[in-house]
Amino acid sequence: MSETFEAAAASEVGVPGPPRTAWYRSMFVQLLVAVVAGIVVGRLWPWLGTDLKPLGDGFIKLIKMVIAPIVFCTVVLGIAHVGNLKSVGRIGVKALIYFEVVTTFALLFGLAVGNLVKPGAGFSIDAKTLATGADQIAKTTKNGELPHTVDFLMNIIPTSFISAFAENKLLQVLFVSVLFGLALAKFGENGPPVVLEAIDHVSRILFIVIGWIMRLSPLGAFGAMAFIIGQYGLKTLGTYGKLIACCYGAAVLFILVLAAITRLYVGANLWKFLRYIKNELFVALGTASTEVVLPRIMTKLVDAGCSRATTGLVVPTGYSFNLDGATLYLAICVLFLSKALGVDLSVGEQITALLTLMLTSKGMAGVPGSSFLALSATISAIGHGSIPVAAVAILLGADRLMDSMRVTVNLLGNCVATLVVAKWEGQLDSDRLARVLDGKPVEPMADPDPMADPDPVTDPVRV
């Protein structure tokens, strides 16, 4: 047992432990200050806030630089140690079943909230004034389009082993990782020791790099938040107040549903889990991206008792198939646009919208302006002449202000999915999860947490 674990255990029974880390060294405090500072700078000096965009973009690029190899190492090691093709297949199938059920529920839930609140009522927009809307959407989406279902599935297969990493396409990396992990497991009982040891060492090195990069997260969050407020301003809150309130209210209610799933099936408290991932949540909120915390979330889920194989398969897949926050937002926006134009959609038209969104939402990850593309496809599928596709441009002013809602629900949705599938597959250490969420000492994992606040006893250099 390590000295850190012994010190924590001693503290639990009343023996004084090591001194606490200074509050100003806490990542959570640094992120909170950075986000608030970004809002202030963006509000008072919009020109400066807009110019700070490279800080957020640079941080996101640094994280994306190491995501693909980290996913590869995590998945390969997890599958190689499981060594069972049937087990890996079960995890994948169970994850996809869960994703489909929950995202469909999110769409139904969003439609229900939209019908009750009617967020677009009172806008009274004349469709004739939207002539330039299509051009605005084309500019925002860079004339891109969502892949069709067959294209989406075919694009999971990379052109080559290297291209998956070179193009940084997560599903392609996952596909290659699964094949490589299964081949290793097939080659030997748990894979060739030399190869596994080499991959394990590479994984540890990459997490040290992630630890260094994440120390820059307050700077990235500051730049990203300053840009959002400087570029779009707080005045948008008033214009789209009802829509924003509707979306955030629906998000809170949906999180309560996730909390119920976590409590009833996993036996865990989602509020405690939120405290456990508070640093990652603030990084995601500050940068308006869940992708930047993918490596850290995987590490925390493994440390909380989920198996490496389940975490490595469910989390990256969920980033494409389990966008709960995005689907919730899209469902509400369909009804917002109809009400803003004075159109009442029939039950049949709403079902058509639901079915369309079930397909388009699966190919959104990594596509510029994907929410606008999904909405445009949905409006076209409904085929209501009084709602032109150009009407989607109405949402341009409010879309960025919805990022916090989408990011929070997407992140929590994928974490809950991992816990549920791990429990379902019998690969969740429930005792460890309970102790971690209660803040009690647990035996350290083989891989240290590179982003943890420095321990003044075991890591005096970092302090």
Side-chain angles (χ1 to χ4, degrees):
M1 186 179 294
S2 69
E3 294 179 5
T4 306
F5 179 66
E6 288 177 346
S11 177
E12 186 181 12
V13 296
V15 179
R20 290 177 175 269
T21 304
W23 64 270
Y24 56 85
R25 292 186 181 274
S26 165
M27 180 64 69
F28 177 74
V29 172
Q30 292 175 1
L31 285 166
L32 185 61
V33 171
V35 169
V36 172
I39 293 173
V40 171
V41 169
R43 176 69 180 87
L44 297 180
W45 304 286
W47 57 271
L48 178 59
T50 303
D51 289 342
L52 290 175
K53 187 175 184 289
L55 291 179
D57 291 347
F59 173 71
I60 292 173
K61 288 185 71 175
L62 283 171
I63 292 290
K64 287 185 174 182
M65 174 182 71
V66 291
I67 283 179
I70 282 179
V71 168
F72 176 79
C73 292
T74 302
V75 174
V76 168
L77 289 171
I79 292 177
H81 287 138
V82 170
N84 188 327
L85 177 60
K86 291 183 179 179
S87 178
V88 173
R90 280 199 312 270
I91 293 172
V93 170
K94 288 175 180 179
L96 291 175
I97 291 173
Y98 178 86
F99 293 159
E100 192 56 48
V101 170
V102 175
T103 52
T104 301
F105 174 78
L107 288 170
L108 289 169
F109 190 76
L111 288 175
V113 171
N115 278 297
L116 287 173
V117 179
K118 298 179 175 59
F123 259 65
S124 301
I125 293 175
D126 186 352
K128 295 177 182 178
T129 64
L130 300 172
T132 61
D135 294 334
Q136 291 177 288
I137 294 298
K139 182 179 178 181
T140 302
T141 60
K142 300 177 182 178
N143 289 310
E145 61 180 23
L146 293 175
H148 296 294
T149 304
V150 174
D151 293 333
F152 173 71
L153 294 175
M154 290 300 293
N155 284 337
I156 295 176
I157 305 172
T159 305
S160 68
F161 188 96
I162 301 300
S163 70
F165 297 88
E167 297 173 11
N168 214 17
K169 294 185 177 180
L170 205 53
L171 281 180
Q172 292 187 1
V173 172
L174 185 62
F175 179 79
V176 168
S177 305
V178 170
L179 289 180
F180 196 87
L182 290 173
L184 272 181
K186 183 71 173 177
F187 190 81
E189 184 178 350
N190 285 316
V194 176
V195 177
L196 284 178
E197 187 176 347
I199 294 175
D200 186 53
H201 285 321
V202 171
S203 175
R204 292 168 186 257
I205 292 170
L206 288 171
F207 273 109
I208 291 174
V209 174
I210 277 288
W212 292 341
I213 296 173
M214 291 305 289
R215 288 290 159 187
L216 299 174
S217 56
L219 191 62
F222 167 72
M225 188 58 66
F227 167 73
I228 291 172
I229 301 301
Q231 180 75 19
Y232 299 96
L234 294 175
K235 61 182 180 181
T236 310
L237 291 172
T239 307
Y240 294 92
K242 195 172 182 180
L243 172 64
I244 293 170
C246 180
C247 287
Y248 278 86
V252 170
L253 293 175
F254 189 82
I255 289 172
L256 292 178
V257 173
L258 293 177
I261 294 173
T262 308
R263 167 61 71 184
L264 295 175
Y265 189 77
V266 182
N269 186 309
L270 190 61
W271 172 247
K272 291 181 180 179
F273 186 82
L274 273 169
R275 287 189 300 175
Y276 175 59
I277 64 166
K278 63 181 184 298
N279 287 349
E280 291 71 30
L281 185 60
F282 258 82
V283 172
L285 288 173
T287 58
S289 170
T290 55
E291 199 171 29
V292 298
V293 295
L294 185 146
R296 290 290 312 120
I297 283 296
M298 291 172 70
T299 300
K300 287 226 162 175
L301 285 166
V302 171
D303 192 56
C306 296
S307 72
R308 253 184 172 181
T310 303
T311 303
L313 287 170
V314 176
V315 175
T317 309
Y319 271 57
S320 290
F321 289 93
N322 192 41
L323 303 174
D324 298 335
T327 52
L328 190 67
Y329 166 70
L330 291 173
I332 292 173
C333 284
V334 168
L335 294 176
F336 168 81
L337 291 174
S338 67
K339 289 297 180 183
L341 291 162
V343 176
D344 289 320
L345 294 180
S346 66
V347 174
E349 288 169 333
Q350 291 191 34
I351 291 175
T352 300
L354 173 70
L355 295 174
T356 304
L357 288 172
M358 284 175 65
L359 294 174
T360 55
S361 62
K362 299 299 184 294
M364 288 174 56
V367 179
S370 56
S371 59
F372 297 110
L373 292 171
L375 281 171
S376 298
T378 304
I379 296 300
S380 298
I382 293 173
H384 201 300
S386 300
I387 309 178
V389 173
V392 176
I394 298 171
L395 294 164
L396 283 171
D399 187 71
R400 286 303 296 266
L401 297 176
M402 302 296 182
D403 281 339
S404 297
M405 180 276 284
R406 290 188 294 239
V407 161
T408 302
V409 179
N410 286 346
L411 183 61
L412 282 179
N414 281 317
C415 289
V416 172
T418 307
L419 293 171
V420 168
V421 175
K423 178 76 172 180
W424 192 357
E425 186 62 16
Q427 295 190 19
L428 176 66
D429 187 340
S430 298
D431 292 336
R432 184 181 181 89
L433 175 64
R435 292 184 70 83
V436 167
L437 297 189
D438 286 337
K440 294 179 180 179
V442 293
E443 185 68 36
M445 301 293 291
D447 296 325
D449 182 353
M451 191 183 161
D453 289 326
D455 188 298
V457 172
T458 62
D459 200 2
V461 176
R462 286 175 59 195
V463 176

